[in-house]
Amino acid sequence: MNGGSGEKGSGRPAQPGRRRFLGDLARTACGVGVLGLGLGLHARRANSLPATAIRPPGALPEAEFLAACTRCGLCVRGCPYDVLKLAGLLDEAPAGTPYFVARTEPCVMCEDIPCVPVCPTGALDHALTDIREARMGLAVVVDQEACIAFQGLRCEVCFNICPVRGKAISLDLQHNVRSGKHALFIPVVHSADCTGCGLCEKACILEEAAIKVLPMQLAKGELGHHYRLGWEQKAEHGGSLVTPDQQHRYNLPEGMRYEHGGRGLIIDEGADSPFSDNPLDTLNRGLEPDR
Amino acid sequence: MSGGEKPGLTATLNRGWWRTHKWLMLRRMSQLGILGLFLLGPLAGVRIIDGNLSSSLLLDTVPMTDPLLFLQMLVAGFLVPAGTAVLGAALVLGFYLLVGGRVFCSWVCPVNLVTDAAGWLRLRLDLHGGINLARSTRYWMLALVLLLSLVTGSLAFELVNPVSLLHRGIIFGLGSAAFVVLALFLFDLFVARRGWCGHLCPMGAFYGLVGAASPVRVRADQRAACDDCMECFVVCPEPQVIRPALKGAEAGRGPVILAGECTNCGRCIEVCPQEVFAFGLRYPNREKGQGGEARSSPGLSKGAAT
């Protein structure tokens, strides 16, 4: 082997070369590793979506969306109304991902949803074919102090502009305690029908909208999974699921009865009232010194 | 040749300007043309190709998706991409498997315009120094990109990937484009020679692996005529790929530039005063005859040149 690379003799001269090779390798690996650490930490921050940025219709849950969206902008091109934007480096949304801001330019809710089928990966779920099924976010009346409906003034702009009219936002008529003779027309959003298009937020007449579209995970509460609402269970099964309440024998003082399903606690005339004027007596009951 | 001298000067004097800049000009036309086609939609309303280099749709029918991005998507845990993306990634991958992976780098990628400009200026200003990166760093970067996808469950590298940031920035009119241009230009000019494309870019690394077995190659069939003027090494963005083919005769190596890192830019072909190089196929990896006989060999450059 006395070929082209003459400097590669045997044994000793190769050692420094190998040492340098390993050194370079370690240097490169460390450099790239540090870069990776920085990038990973950056990604944690940069991947968080500000509450004002709403994803296009059909967008997968945010964590999945960030894995699936190639940031190609085909949805932006598909949008006939300048609603969707791609995030630039300085925007708060992750660079290159599509979003819209409801207060500036809400979703028009096109019947054919042109932004969805053009998505090459399905980050915008192609299964969404009815725009009324879209859940881009959820409108929330975030400031009841500022919303003039709560002051007893007539507005109802959000109710009237809502494309799922009467369903996504309804008006709850309440008594106006202040005037004593008028009604409050309170806007109430229903998550079963609100698509999160943001028209209400755009239309809100206040300087700063009192109704805002928030990302679903921010807007929605969730009942404990073990909770059952009795009346719903009852309606579902056509009757009570537990043994019907029956006459109990209550350990009541003399002269008192309990009428189940009727008048409730009945205190016979003339009987001593078991309740003293001093509420502390109730607490102290049983603690009296032996007589 | 010395640092400040213009590479390709001898060849220009011998064969004229066009024949020593043909591939360069074709490359620039390709790079700018592709940008132009993407821009026709937003600027003129003529929709030929929509989207950007990450994913696009040609003439409303042919989907294309960046295969590395597709891979990241799978690694990040999105395992059920729509058929469009699967087909798009397969089309792009197939194309580059055929013509050479890093054809993307030299014929399509907009960053190449920036880094080539920096490389050119570095040569003209005779700038030296800066940090010395290993060429293999890019493969570490590629591993890092995939690891980041795995760990974060997102396409994390896309937050900072200058290639997509630049292309998207241009097509969608985002300010990020200017930022990326400036950063990459200054990096390649002052910090590291051919720093980004030649040492760091994980997309380049990926396409280098894709093109490692591609049939379209630069061949040094006339390597016996090489007079060691070194002009090919000066213009080549990946000079390490030339030596085995050009100087490997004694070691029994064939004249085909086999390294996937070769970008098939064709610059070596046209600056060589001795016309040592030509585009050709990978096989056979031995000289096609000697001297004048090889001139009639079926090389791609002969067909396309005249």
Side-chain angles (χ1 to χ4, degrees):
Chain A
M1 279 295 249
N2 51 353
S5 48
E7 72 278 4
K8 243 190 182 170
S10 57
R12 286 195 63 77
Q15 282 301 86
R18 183 179 303 163
R19 190 169 300 155
R20 201 177 57 200
F21 171 75
L22 289 176
D24 283 352
L25 198 70
R27 203 164 53 108
T28 308
C30 286
V32 173
V34 168
L35 187 72
L37 196 66
L39 244 171
L41 291 174
H42 171 67
R44 275 187 67 85
R45 271 172 195 282
N47 273 344
S48 58
L49 190 68
T52 44
I54 311 294
R55 293 288 185 213
L60 298 174
E62 188 62 14
E64 260 181 277
F65 184 81
L66 288 175
C69 170
T70 63
R71 297 116 214 255
C72 67
L74 280 167
C75 54
V76 176
R77 291 281 177 254
C79 176
Y81 301 96
D82 252 1
V83 170
L84 289 179
K85 291 190 290 263
L86 283 190
L89 263 187
L90 299 178
D91 291 315
E92 284 180 278
T97 57
Y99 72 103
F100 67 93
V101 176
R103 185 64 165 170
T104 359
E105 208 63 66
C107 174
V108 181
M109 281 178 66
C110 311
E111 284 294 329
D112 52 346
I113 335 178
C115 52
V116 170
V118 291
C119 175
T121 64
L124 304 180
D125 193 349
H126 294 191
L128 179 75
T129 47
D130 180 0
I131 188 64
R132 281 163 190 256
E133 301 292 321
R135 294 293 176 266
M136 297 171 259
L138 181 62
V140 179
V141 183
V142 287
D143 192 349
Q144 306 193 350
E145 290 179 327
C147 174
I148 62 169
F150 286 80
Q151 318 306 317
L153 302 171
R154 296 291 301 272
C155 173
E156 294 122 56
V157 167
C158 55
F159 167 79
N160 283 314
I161 198 119
C162 178
V164 196
R165 195 161 187 276
K167 285 177 156 177
I169 301 180
S170 65
L171 291 176
D172 189 12
L173 268 55
Q174 293 175 9
H175 176 57
N176 185 341
V177 182
R178 182 182 54 80
S179 75
K181 56 188 170 187
H182 297 101
L184 306 177
F185 288 67
I186 304 296
V188 178
V189 183
H190 303 279
S191 64
D193 288 293
C194 174
T195 63
C197 72
L199 238 67
C200 52
E201 181 177 340
K202 163 88 172 172
C204 180
I205 61 155
L206 304 186
E207 287 290 320
E208 178 72 43
I211 187 166
K212 287 185 169 133
V213 175
L214 300 180
M216 222 32 138
Q217 74 273 15
L218 215 62
K220 277 295 280 178
E222 193 173 345
L223 194 63
H225 294 285
H226 61 290
Y227 259 76
R228 299 288 180 275
L229 300 177
W231 56 93
E232 280 182 1
Q233 298 283 310
K234 207 166 167 178
E236 204 174 299
H237 295 88
S240 182
L241 292 175
V242 291
T243 320
D245 286 347
Q246 42 185 289
Q247 188 71 52
H248 293 294
R249 293 187 58 227
Y250 297 99
N251 193 13
L252 294 172
E254 289 283 322
M256 296 181 74
R257 289 176 291 124
Y258 191 87
E259 195 174 284
H260 180 75
R263 290 177 294 165
L265 186 66
I266 300 161
I267 303 170
D268 287 341
E269 297 250 351
D272 280 344
S273 170
F275 304 116
S276 127
D277 289 338
N278 184 0
L280 286 178
D281 288 349
T282 317
L283 291 173
N284 291 329
R285 192 172 298 159
L287 296 177
E288 299 94 343
D290 289 333
R291 291 178 194 162
Chain B
M1 70 167 267
S2 70
E5 204 177 308
K6 210 176 163 190
L9 199 60
T10 323
T12 310
L13 291 175
N14 288 348
R15 304 200 295 275
W17 191 87
W18 172 247
R19 288 195 58 199
T20 47
H21 293 82
K22 181 184 66 182
W23 293 115
L24 182 64
M25 288 302 119
L26 287 176
R27 257 180 352 101
R28 294 290 176 251
M29 278 162 61
S30 165
Q31 291 165 328
L32 293 171
I34 288 168
L35 266 183
L37 285 181
F38 273 107
L39 279 170
L40 269 182
L43 294 187
V46 185
R47 297 175 65 166
I48 293 173
I49 185 162
D50 264 347
N52 60 36
L53 288 180
S54 302
S55 277
S56 57
L57 191 61
L58 179 65
L59 296 171
D60 257 338
T61 38
V62 186
M64 286 178 274
T65 289
D66 174 355
L68 176 58
L69 207 51
F70 186 82
L71 190 62
Q72 288 176 65
M73 194 188 295
L74 296 180
V75 174
F78 185 64
L79 300 172
V80 285
T84 320
V86 181
L87 178 63
L91 284 177
V92 175
L93 193 65
F95 176 75
Y96 288 119
L97 276 172
L98 212 62
V99 301
R102 296 205 66 200
V103 161
F104 171 81
C105 302
S106 57
W107 291 77
V108 178
C109 183
V111 166
N112 180 265
L113 289 163
V114 180
T115 56
D116 265 5
W120 176 83
L121 194 63
R122 200 177 158 97
L123 201 64
R124 296 311 299 272
L125 297 180
D126 206 8
L127 294 176
H128 294 282
I131 59 170
N132 201 7
L133 294 161
R135 288 268 174 191
S136 60
T137 312
R138 54 184 136 195
Y139 300 107
W140 290 90
M141 290 286 288
L142 178 59
L144 174 75
V145 164
L146 294 174
L147 187 70
L148 272 178
S149 298
L150 184 72
V151 172
T152 64
S154 69
L155 308 181
F157 183 63
E158 286 309 293
L159 293 170
V160 293
N161 181 359
V163 178
S164 51
L165 280 177
L166 176 58
H167 195 255
R168 192 190 306 124
I170 296 171
I171 308 301
F172 289 88
L174 308 171
S176 49
F179 176 77
V180 171
V181 167
L182 194 68
L184 284 182
F185 185 78
L186 294 179
F187 180 74
D188 266 26
L189 186 61
F190 295 116
V191 182
R193 176 171 186 273
R194 299 275 176 197
W196 177 255
C197 298
H199 298 79
L200 292 176
C201 180
M203 289 181 78
F206 174 78
Y207 279 120
L209 296 177
V210 166
S214 72
V216 179
R217 306 266 79 165
V218 174
R219 302 176 60 103
D221 281 321
Q222 309 297 321
R223 58 186 174 181
C226 173
D227 61 359
D228 296 332
C229 74
M230 299 300 283
E231 297 215 350
C232 54
F233 286 98
V234 173
V235 294
C236 181
E238 305 278 349
Q240 78 280 7
V241 308
I242 298 179
R243 181 171 298 277
L246 185 63
K247 298 291 167 193
E250 280 180 43
R253 293 200 183 91
V256 177
I257 294 182
L258 289 172
E261 287 166 357
C262 170
T263 69
N264 277 5
C265 72
R267 199 69 186 111
C268 56
I269 298 172
E270 52 198 10
V271 297
C272 178
Q274 303 298 323
E275 298 186 64
V276 164
F277 302 97
F279 274 125
L281 295 175
R282 184 183 199 88
Y283 302 104
N285 190 5
R286 57 184 142 73
E287 269 98 335
K288 296 179 173 175
Q290 293 296 324
E293 195 189 330
R295 301 264 159 156
S296 59
S297 69
L300 278 187
S301 79
K302 291 297 162 204
T306 49

